[in-house]
Amino acid sequence: MRVSASLSLAVLALTSFTAVSQTPAASKAQLATPQVSQVAQTPPMGWNSWNYFAGRVDDKGIRAAADQVVATGMKDAGYVYVNIDDTWEGERDANGVLHTNAKFPDMKALADYVHSKGLKIGIYSSPGSKTCGGYAGSLGHEEQDARMYAEWGIDYLKYDLCSFIGDVLEKQAPNDKAAQMRLMIAAYDKMNKALKATGRPIVFSFCQYGWDAVWEWGPSVGANLWRTTGDVTPEWDRIYAIVSQQAGLEAYAGPGHWNDPDMLEVGNGKLTLAENRTHFTMWAMLAAPLLAGNDLPNMKPEIKAILTNRDVIAIDQDSLGKQGARIYSDGEVEVWTRPLAGGAVAIAVVDAGDSRYSTHPFHLNLHKLGLTGKQTGKDLWTGKTVELTDNMPLELASHDVLLVRVDKPKGHVQ
Ligand code: GLA
């Protein structure tokens, strides 16, 4: 049985549509000037411990993840970072030096191990006194912690707002949201400067759930990526809600600074194969960081096939660095496009519902995408050549996606 979106080419209707140009609102928005960044020139790819292991992460698990990133071919497909999320932290000593807890006996040795595999290593902290998991944060120790990360050989820091809300924002500026936001921005800038002062290239990942339109100011205080929403969960409704919340943010992403709709849940929970495929497709369309978060030593072949689909990864990692945009929707079916280097375009059609059948299928309006006439492309989930024609009926399985790359589009792509 075919598992990918079923593309019906049987009926080629001749109806023509008036071209409707829908310029995304954000393209008119003011952009912060990003700092020059040598890291994250394409969206970071790797694996992070949180989504599957949460507090069960330890030294052994990180080594196993690094081994598996190599053994599964994920490294060859572009996955580089092995990121330790929350729960590695121990106590600070009399000199303020933060020690690891018993799960991580020697962070430098662990970093050396990950590096020996040709991979990079990431870590996690908070600008507050505690992390979200209640472990020690960096408040008042930013420079010291940044220096320690650099000494260990850390390549990536996820910095999670968490207790900074109660520790600082609500204490120092009660009932003044604007003052709270200024304090938050200053806290991120403080760690930005501390990281820069180490001289080590470290990807700086903001995790403050999109507060205060972080996409407008994050790059100016060193963000290489910034979460745009609250946490992802391995559930279709949550994943689809997050996708919807990215529409309009495309103007803010580019090499060195990316919108982060949160880490991947591919292979987690009870997501169907179609849902996993759509999740991965849309993260690629969104130029999102691809940080797998599944149980790598027990990864099923069909999940590995999704995570290592080179054609889809190439969309995510496209050198033009332009994030895709939602061009139109028709009920529960959405059409997104992403401009690619060399004038190519990726087109994703997502069926977020479960009620469109051949009796009243969705019809693809190429005019709305700025395309004129028949388009020849590659279906990136079947690997087959496909032809797209205006008003063609598309029958997609529930929560499934059609992803087509057109290298030589005809028309003026949106
Ligand atoms: C927050 C973040 C998650 C994860 C946890 C760890 O919820 O958004 O991604 O880092 O904290 O405690």
Side-chain angles (χ1 to χ4, degrees):
M1 199 180 109
R2 245 183 107 188
V3 288
S4 70
S6 85
L7 167 59
S8 163
L9 293 166
V11 185
L12 304 180
L14 298 170
T15 319
S16 80
F17 288 77
T18 311
V20 179
S21 167
Q22 298 193 339
T23 309
S27 65
K28 299 180 199 113
Q30 278 194 320
L31 292 177
T33 311
Q35 294 184 343
V36 176
S37 177
Q38 293 312 309
V39 293
Q41 290 302 297
T42 59
M45 289 179 65
W47 178 89
N48 173 293
S49 58
W50 185 256
N51 282 355
Y52 185 81
F53 291 101
R56 288 169 291 137
V57 63
D58 60 8
D59 177 283
K60 198 162 152 260
I62 292 295
R63 285 171 193 255
D67 293 347
Q68 288 302 310
V69 169
V70 176
T72 57
M74 287 175 70
K75 180 184 169 202
D76 289 342
Y79 293 83
V80 172
Y81 294 94
V82 176
N83 292 351
I84 306 164
D85 208 278
D86 202 356
T87 82
W88 62 268
E89 308 87 340
E91 302 297 325
R92 287 193 190 274
D93 64 21
N95 297 319
V97 176
L98 179 60
H99 293 268
T100 52
N101 61 38
K103 297 191 297 167
F104 289 90
D106 187 340
M107 198 61 94
K108 173 89 176 73
L110 179 57
D112 289 347
Y113 182 80
V114 172
H115 289 149
S116 77
K117 301 271 161 185
L119 300 170
K120 294 177 189 285
I121 186 164
I123 210 160
Y124 167 100
S125 191
S126 169
S129 65
K130 297 268 183 244
T131 66
C132 289
Y135 290 74
S138 294
L139 185 63
H141 298 275
E142 293 81 359
E143 288 85 7
Q144 199 172 18
D145 286 359
R147 277 197 304 273
M148 182 176 69
Y149 303 149
E151 278 159 23
W152 283 341
I154 296 295
D155 305 295
Y156 186 120
L157 173 67
K158 173 175 168 183
Y159 207 43
D160 194 347
L161 191 62
C162 271
S163 73
F164 192 78
I165 301 167
D167 284 345
V168 177
L169 302 185
E170 287 165 359
K171 277 201 189 121
Q172 290 188 20
N175 310 316
D176 187 345
K177 287 286 174 197
Q180 290 185 1
M181 295 305 108
R182 283 191 290 273
L183 287 166
M184 174 181 69
I185 294 169
Y188 277 86
D189 196 27
K190 188 164 197 186
M191 183 51 93
N192 168 44
K193 293 197 169 89
L195 291 174
K196 295 281 183 323
T198 69
R200 184 175 176 84
I202 297 176
V203 174
F204 194 17
S205 159
F206 286 24
C207 179
Q208 42 79 280
Y209 338 115
W211 282 21
D212 203 28
V214 57
W215 40 88
E216 292 186 1
W217 53 268
S220 68
V221 288
N224 296 118
L225 58 153
W226 52 86
R227 282 270 299 277
T228 54
T229 66
D231 288 13
V232 70
T233 58
E235 289 153 320
W236 169 257
D237 285 353
R238 183 67 194 134
I239 288 167
Y240 180 61
I242 290 179
V243 168
S244 301
Q245 288 156 5
Q246 309 313 303
L249 299 186
E250 55 274 3
Y252 299 97
H257 53 104
W258 308 101
N259 288 303
D260 174 10
D262 207 352
M263 304 174 292
L264 294 167
E265 291 281 14
V266 173
N268 287 342
K270 294 192 173 117
L271 293 173
T272 65
L273 219 43
E275 290 166 349
N276 278 308
R277 197 167 32 235
T278 303
H279 175 20
F280 196 67
T281 297
M282 290 314 297
W283 261 234
M285 291 296 285
L286 293 167
L290 297 180
L291 295 171
N294 58 326
D295 179 9
L296 293 180
N298 294 300
M299 176 161 59
K300 294 195 174 118
E302 59 272 26
I303 296 302
K304 181 169 108 174
I306 291 174
L307 287 172
T308 58
N309 183 317
R310 305 276 180 128
D311 286 336
V312 181
I313 290 171
I315 303 294
D316 183 74
Q317 298 287 300
D318 185 77
S319 61
L320 195 59
K322 280 194 79 121
Q323 179 176 324
R326 185 169 63 197
I327 305 299
Y328 77 98
S329 59
D330 177 24
E332 293 176 304
V333 181
E334 299 197 348
V335 185
W336 293 67
T337 61
R338 179 171 174 184
L340 304 170
V345 64
I347 303 166
V349 185
V350 180
D351 183 357
D354 56 7
S355 63
R356 296 295 292 256
Y357 309 104
S358 58
T359 42
H360 293 90
F362 167 79
H363 288 85
L364 181 64
N365 186 330
L366 291 182
H367 284 280
K368 283 188 178 174
L369 311 186
L371 297 169
T372 318
K374 188 167 74 180
Q375 312 286 328
T376 304
K378 182 176 180 186
D379 178 329
L380 302 187
W381 287 112
T382 64
K384 291 188 180 145
T385 299
V386 288
E387 285 189 341
L388 302 177
T389 53
D390 194 34
N391 203 37
M392 68 188 293
L394 288 179
E395 217 184 303
L396 297 165
S398 175
H399 302 175
D400 213 338
V401 67
L402 170 71
L403 176 62
V404 175
R405 180 189 180 109
V406 181
D407 278 325
K408 294 192 181 356
K410 284 170 279 174
H412 182 70
V413 179
Q414 300 293 303

